[in-house]
Amino acid sequence: MTKKSPPNKTAKTECLEQFKVDAGEQLTTNQGVVVDNTDNSLKVGNRGPSLREDFHFQEKLSHFDRERIPERVVHARGAGAHGYFQVYEPLTEYSKAEFLQNPSIQTPVFARFSTVAGSRGSGDSVRDVRGFAVKFYTQEGNYDLVGNNIPVFFIQDAIKFPDIVHSIKPEPDNEIPQASTAHPSFWDFISLVPESTHMIMWLLSDRTLPRSFSRMQGFGVHTYRLVNAEGKSRFVKFHWKPLLGVHSLVFDEAQKLAGKDPDFQRRDLWESIEKGNYPEFELGIQIIEEEDEHKFDFDILDSTKLIPEELVPVRAIGKMVLNRNPDNFFAETEQVAFQPSNVVPGIDFSDDPLLQGRLFSYHDTQLHRLGSPNFAHLPINRPICPFHNNQQDGRMQMEVKTSRVNYSPNALGGGQPAPSEIEGYVHYPERVEGHKIRERSQSFGEHFSQATLFWNSLSAVEKKHLVEAAYFELGKVEDQAVREKMVDRLNHVDQGLAKQVAMGIGVAAPAQPITQNHGQSSPALSQNAFAVKTAKGRKVAILAAEGVEAEQVTAIKQALAEAGAEGLIVSTFLGTIKSATGETLKVDQTFLTSASVMFDGVYVAGGTQSIATLKENGDAIHFINEAFRHCKAIAATGEGVELLKKSSITGVTLSERSLQDDQGVISAKTPSSLSAVADSFVEAIAQHRFWNRTIQQKVPA
Ligand code: HDD
């Protein structure tokens, strides 16, 4: 899909535009010398040796040789988008940050979503935590909220970060596996680090298989501070909630997608924006008064804990809309440099030891990746407000400073740049005292209660998926002792869970619980709490061949379009097909270029000849079986119902006459009202999945 022109401009768009350069008309060297032949190097005679004086060849090759910069050590694979953030009402009571005061102001943002473990070229849909990083270009400087789609983290202290990441990444001897935690060294580490228990429950859950970036939550994870103009500080946790709801893939689908369309989520983000289906997220805050810091049965500085929404409600304070794709992936998405240390007045840090370590690590990483202390000059990283200081030299300085001084204080340069006379960023004057010790607070010592809370809060199907994920992940660990240790660990969470997992991985079931399940739950931890039912942005495959009933295809396509969804015709060959009544229909995808895993639902239109062809096509049958197995909405009208009968789908009733809707399988052999079928199908797509298809496992796919 080609890129449309950008919508209304934000201050950042204008800032970026100064740096935009189009392809130009005439090829030149970087020195501006015109080039009239870039296909042949300079040689002595047309078969002769090449000449060293070929400066065009040298420049072209040496630039190419340096075109890659080190990929991010984690979160290497990602996709980004521009947009804006707008606060709903002034947040003056809590924060003096200017961008949180005025509901009429749109603050430009750039968001980057990512996986953690895989390299830049890995698949989008793998089971992994997703990064959720947002740079706000405020008038007071850049503010970066660098979070994940999971509200807790693996470890409590940043000094363990290299260890956890080394264990997740491919094993060092053979670089296997790519983009997966399903390997012995990861589970070896986890089995020895009890503080990771809560996080691995989330890791094994459907949260790590988001349907799209626009359908996942985001979390700041750490406790931060908000500080108002009077200097009053409160603790805060940040939440992003997607307006399309929180929805996930199923694991089999995610695995297949990694081969069928490794760019699945990147493509979805790009196409949604190009079609005007802008991803939207509400920013929410949980506020904790300073005097309440110690009122919880966990430490709010411990990043392996969340604050249940039932204890502290999340207040929605504004909305982010992502409405413009980057112009250049490398210049923007690859070079964007997020740093949790980028804050503006009114937002401050807590003493969370994980956060404190991040305040060092990201800046250090940018110096390495981008290769220069001047990385803030890059268009994507430049603040939209002016910035001046005496840090003038270093690689790739983009500005030509004209003052003769680069020190402070100075008189020769009129004392400038001078420290501001109005208040700048003032760190919250928290009072601290203590001894220098390498220790962990005892208040960080309990590791299982919230893991149990999470388990108790899941729906039956979410629990089933979690157990299956454990079978897969631990099933890839050949070391029996590690598997035993993990069952023992899960027995701290819930004995029932430990027993179920033990059964699937060849470990003896624990006879006794280690800790009694406390029985508490937090409904907001289940994805069901945010399962917005809308068909907007969904994609549907319409299976068809020559002789299809065009009227049926048109009715379904129209109903989908009205709901903000899209119906694409999938057939054997690209080009066009002729309908039963002679219309020409364009084929969008073939059975070879697509698969059911790339769609949210499948529709089979009638037409005697079309269905006779599709019945002989194993790919068409597989398409239906697979969609059924993944609990997706399926519809068929007219002779289309016969194709469903030819498939292996089972346990649902198919209609011989008028409309039948059984567990999201909608059929109408004699479709008296196409619009009623279309409405039911759109409604079914909006449900996302039909988890109650209890016997879908029997269907081969
Ligand atoms: Fe990190 C990248 C999120 C802990 C060190 N991290 C990175 C990105 C995200 C996160 C979303 C990608 C940003 C982008 O799109 O460019 N990281 C988190 C969260 C954490 C966390 C939510 C825990 C709450 N990270 C963490 C720790 C450390 C790092 C404890 C080191 C002490 N993270 C990095 C890094 C990266 C990074 C090595 C790699 C590339 C980069 O920073 O720019 O510095």
Side-chain angles (χ1 to χ4, degrees):
M1 175 176 263
T2 50
K3 202 161 171 281
K4 274 198 261 170
S5 55
N8 47 349
K9 290 179 186 167
T10 63
K12 186 63 189 175
T13 314
E14 276 164 20
C15 166
L16 283 168
E17 261 167 22
Q18 307 167 42
F19 297 94
K20 272 193 199 165
V21 180
D22 63 22
E25 290 167 9
Q26 189 168 255
L27 191 69
T28 71
T29 66
N30 278 341
Q31 307 305 321
V33 175
V34 173
V35 173
D36 63 6
N37 184 335
T38 191
D39 298 331
N40 300 295
S41 54
L42 190 66
K43 295 184 276 302
V44 182
N46 58 14
R47 296 185 65 249
S50 301
L51 289 175
R52 195 167 159 202
E53 71 183 60
D54 187 352
F55 56 82
H56 172 48
F57 171 90
Q58 281 179 34
E59 182 192 88
K60 189 172 173 183
L61 266 289
S62 59
H63 188 280
F64 172 76
D65 293 344
R66 290 163 180 78
E67 279 176 6
R68 292 291 168 268
I69 58 172
E71 67 173 34
R72 291 167 174 83
V73 60
V74 281
H75 298 266
R77 171 131 188 119
H82 294 273
Y84 64 85
F85 172 78
Q86 214 164 356
V87 72
Y88 290 149
E89 335 181 312
L91 212 67
T92 324
E93 185 189 351
Y94 296 125
S95 173
K96 62 185 169 190
E98 200 186 285
F99 81 105
L100 297 176
Q101 307 308 319
N102 189 343
S104 67
I105 289 183
Q106 294 187 344
T107 299
V109 297
F110 186 78
R112 183 173 177 274
F113 306 108
S114 46
T115 51
V116 177
S119 65
R120 254 193 79 182
S122 56
D124 276 352
S125 61
V126 296
R127 177 181 294 285
D128 199 355
V129 178
R130 297 299 185 283
F132 195 124
V134 181
K135 191 180 278 294
F136 298 75
Y137 303 93
T138 89
Q139 293 296 343
E140 296 178 299
N142 289 350
Y143 166 52
D144 294 354
L145 181 54
V146 193
N148 279 341
N149 75 330
I150 285 179
V152 291
F153 203 63
F154 293 98
I155 47 165
Q156 297 172 320
D157 190 314
I159 200 167
K160 295 296 297 163
F161 191 68
D163 297 304
I164 174 70
V165 173
H166 288 169
S167 82
I168 286 185
K169 285 275 181 178
E171 301 195 1
D173 51 353
N174 55 16
E175 240 216 355
I176 296 174
Q178 178 59 231
S180 172
T181 46
H183 60 106
S185 65
F186 175 71
W187 290 102
D188 176 35
F189 177 84
I190 295 296
S191 73
L192 297 167
V193 179
E195 74 206 52
S196 64
T197 309
H198 188 191
M199 179 72 171
I200 57 117
M201 293 294 289
W202 286 80
L203 182 89
L204 294 172
S205 80
D206 293 344
R207 299 284 180 152
T208 44
L209 305 171
R211 157 66 180 79
S212 63
F213 294 135
S214 54
R215 292 178 184 83
M216 63 185 196
Q217 275 177 284
F219 301 91
V221 181
H222 310 284
T223 298
Y224 289 90
R225 285 176 187 277
L226 290 182
V227 184
N228 69 15
E230 286 74 51
K232 181 166 172 54
S233 153
R234 294 175 177 92
F235 293 110
V236 63
K237 291 261 191 195
F238 292 106
H239 297 241
W240 291 107
K241 283 186 189 163
L243 295 195
L244 288 180
V246 181
H247 298 286
S248 289
L249 303 167
V250 294
F251 194 31
D252 178 60
E253 179 187 18
Q255 287 178 306
K256 289 172 175 168
L257 269 171
K260 296 276 184 188
D261 186 6
D263 305 305
F264 185 67
Q265 282 156 342
R266 172 182 291 206
R267 190 187 308 284
D268 178 273
L269 180 66
W270 179 277
E271 290 186 353
S272 302
I273 293 176
E274 291 307 303
K275 284 178 198 145
N277 269 339
Y278 301 139
E280 296 181 324
F281 299 86
E282 258 186 349
L283 182 62
I285 52 172
Q286 285 177 299
I287 293 284
I288 304 101
E289 299 292 337
E290 283 228 326
E291 50 275 25
D292 292 339
E293 181 179 359
H294 301 292
K295 87 168 190 191
F296 302 96
D297 59 4
F298 53 87
D299 197 322
I300 64 166
L301 301 185
D302 172 0
S303 277
T304 66
K305 305 297 184 302
L306 51 83
I307 304 184
E309 294 190 26
E310 291 74 17
L311 294 185
V312 180
V314 177
R315 169 177 159 190
I317 61 163
K319 192 167 79 169
M320 172 168 78
V321 179
L322 299 177
N323 61 4
R324 190 167 72 79
N325 279 314
D327 287 300
N328 184 287
F329 186 92
F330 181 85
E332 301 177 80
T333 313
E334 190 60 7
Q335 292 199 115
V336 64
F338 292 97
Q339 296 174 218
S341 54
N342 286 348
V343 284
V344 290
I347 301 179
D348 210 320
F349 315 115
S350 72
D351 294 334
D352 173 346
L354 193 73
L355 171 61
Q356 289 292 325
R358 295 179 75 194
L359 302 181
F360 161 76
S361 180
Y362 289 68
H363 187 254
D364 191 41
T365 298
Q366 309 317 339
L367 293 174
H368 168 61
R369 288 193 68 232
L370 300 168
S372 156
N374 293 315
F375 65 83
H377 292 222
L378 293 170
I380 192 67
N381 295 324
R382 286 182 90 84
I384 54 170
C385 58
F387 62 106
H388 311 285
N389 52 49
N390 292 317
Q391 288 133 225
Q392 293 192 5
D393 298 353
R395 282 202 181 94
M396 302 298 157
Q397 168 60 263
M398 306 286 171
E399 290 169 343
V400 181
K401 306 272 186 186
T402 52
S403 164
R404 70 188 282 204
V405 303
N406 56 357
Y407 52 85
S408 179
N410 72 71
L412 294 181
Q416 289 181 333
S420 168
E421 283 173 10
I422 52 162
E423 191 179 89
Y425 187 91
V426 178
H427 290 262
Y428 177 66
E430 180 192 1
R431 185 180 152 75
V432 281
E433 59 181 26
H435 299 281
K436 291 182 192 170
I437 41 171
R438 279 194 195 276
E439 268 180 25
R440 197 88 48 103
S441 166
Q442 281 185 354
S443 56
F444 281 42
E446 197 287 316
H447 305 307
F448 309 115
S449 171
Q450 288 206 350
T452 308
L453 185 79
F454 179 70
W455 171 248
N456 291 348
S457 310
L458 298 181
S459 66
V461 71
E462 285 175 307
K463 284 184 172 167
K464 177 172 177 281
H465 289 169
L466 188 151
V467 169
E468 286 166 0
Y471 289 167
F472 180 88
E473 293 277 319
L474 294 168
K476 299 274 181 183
V477 177
E478 68 272 9
D479 188 312
Q480 177 79 4
V482 172
R483 299 207 302 269
E484 284 170 0
K485 270 189 269 180
M486 281 315 305
V487 168
D488 182 68
R489 174 73 60 72
L490 295 175
N491 198 20
H492 282 84
V493 178
D494 179 78
Q495 191 198 9
L497 164 66
K499 277 176 154 176
Q500 284 184 70
V501 172
M503 185 179 73
I505 59 168
V507 169
Q512 298 294 329
I514 296 175
T515 321
Q516 279 299 344
N517 186 321
H518 51 58
Q520 291 158 17
S521 62
S522 164
L525 301 182
S526 164
Q527 292 198 179
N528 290 352
F530 307 104
V532 176
K533 299 201 186 320
T534 171
K536 195 173 165 193
R538 301 290 186 160
K539 262 191 185 176
V540 173
I542 300 175
L543 308 192
E546 290 276 322
V548 68
E549 291 291 349
E551 185 201 7
Q552 297 177 15
V553 173
T554 311
I556 296 288
K557 269 195 156 189
Q558 196 177 324
L560 288 168
E562 279 165 15
E566 191 183 20
L568 296 172
I569 295 185
V570 178
S571 195
T572 311
F573 299 118
L574 276 185
T576 55
I577 47 176
K578 273 257 180 299
S579 78
T581 41
E583 288 95 337
T584 303
L585 301 175
K586 179 176 161 285
V587 175
D588 299 295
Q589 298 272 354
T590 68
F591 290 111
L592 208 61
T593 61
S594 73
S596 86
V597 291
M598 291 155 65
F599 297 92
D600 297 288
V602 185
Y603 167 63
V604 191
T608 317
Q609 188 195 343
S610 171
I611 294 304
T613 309
L614 294 178
K615 271 175 155 177
E616 296 306 311
N617 186 336
D619 290 336
I621 308 273
H622 177 74
F623 218 97
I624 292 165
N625 287 345
E626 200 174 46
F628 183 82
R629 177 123 182 199
H630 297 154
C631 301
K632 293 176 181 174
I634 297 173
T637 45
E639 296 79 5
V641 178
E642 288 168 26
L643 191 68
L644 301 196
K645 286 189 174 156
K646 177 93 196 281
S647 77
S648 307
I649 70 176
T650 175
V652 292
T653 310
L654 298 173
S655 167
E656 288 302 327
R657 298 186 61 76
S658 55
L659 179 65
Q660 169 84 47
D661 180 349
D662 189 2
Q663 301 172 57
V665 179
I666 295 145
S667 53
K669 186 93 182 277
T670 42
S672 50
S673 165
L674 269 176
S675 68
V677 175
D679 289 350
S680 298
F681 188 43
V682 168
E683 169 80 3
I685 301 283
Q687 303 299 308
H688 180 60
R689 298 293 160 100
F690 292 83
W691 303 122
N692 56 345
R693 272 184 212 160
T694 40
I695 48 178
Q696 91 262 11
Q697 305 291 39
K698 290 190 182 161
V699 175

